[in-house]
């Protein structure tokens, strides 16, 4: 089981953590939401939970809880700029369908 991130995403996360002034990494998770069932959640992590899995690349830790890992295994996190828009992009091999707006998915 693995979660990966690109060097561009790692640089962005590192910058966010440095600007925040604290934190050990970024939590990647899922929550029930949207018209397709699941949505991605990103939040800063200050303390690890017992069921957390930690994946580290380029000096950045991505933390995923046990429940979310079942939906996220194999996901790559990237940071992209498209015109005036920028944000994290998820390449998740488990996704079967996405809603039209791209905000939610199902596996």
């Amino acid at each position: 089981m693995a979660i990966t991130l690109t060097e561009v995403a790692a640089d962005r996360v590192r910058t966010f953590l440095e600007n925040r002034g604290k934190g050990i990494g970024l939590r990647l998770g899922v929550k029930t939401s949207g018209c397709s069932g699941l949505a991605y959640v990103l939040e800063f992590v200050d303390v690890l939970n017992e069921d957390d899995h930690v994946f580290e690349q380029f000096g950045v830790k991505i933390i995923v809880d046990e429940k979310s890992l079942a939906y996220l295994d194999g996901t790559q996190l990237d940071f992209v700029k498209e015109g005036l828009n920028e944000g994290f992009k998820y390449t998740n091999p488990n996704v079967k369908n996405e809603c039209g707006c791209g905000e939610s998915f199902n596996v």
Side-chain angles (χ1 to χ4, degrees), residues 15-56:
T15 299
F16 285 145
L17 288 169
E18 288 170 358
N19 289 342
R20 186 172 180 254
K22 64 178 181 175
I24 59 173
L26 188 69
R27 180 175 303 282
L28 173 58
V30 294
K31 67 177 180 175
T32 303
S33 179
C35 51
S36 290
L38 298 170
Y40 296 106
V41 176
L42 286 176
E43 58 190 14
F44 296 112
V45 176
D46 295 325
V47 177
L48 290 175
N49 298 324
E50 261 185 49
D51 70 337
D52 283 340
H53 294 263
V54 179
F55 304 93
E56 185 170 349

Side-chain angles (χ1 to χ4, degrees), residues 39-77:
Y40 296 106
V41 176
L42 286 176
E43 58 190 14
F44 296 112
V45 176
D46 295 325
V47 177
L48 290 175
N49 298 324
E50 261 185 49
D51 70 337
D52 283 340
H53 294 263
V54 179
F55 304 93
E56 185 170 349
Q57 280 190 290
F58 306 107
V60 172
K61 291 180 176 79
I62 299 295
I63 295 100
V64 182
D65 66 89
E66 185 74 31
K67 178 185 162 226
S68 295
L69 189 56
Y71 301 105
L72 297 172
D73 186 31
T75 297
Q76 181 184 58
L77 184 62

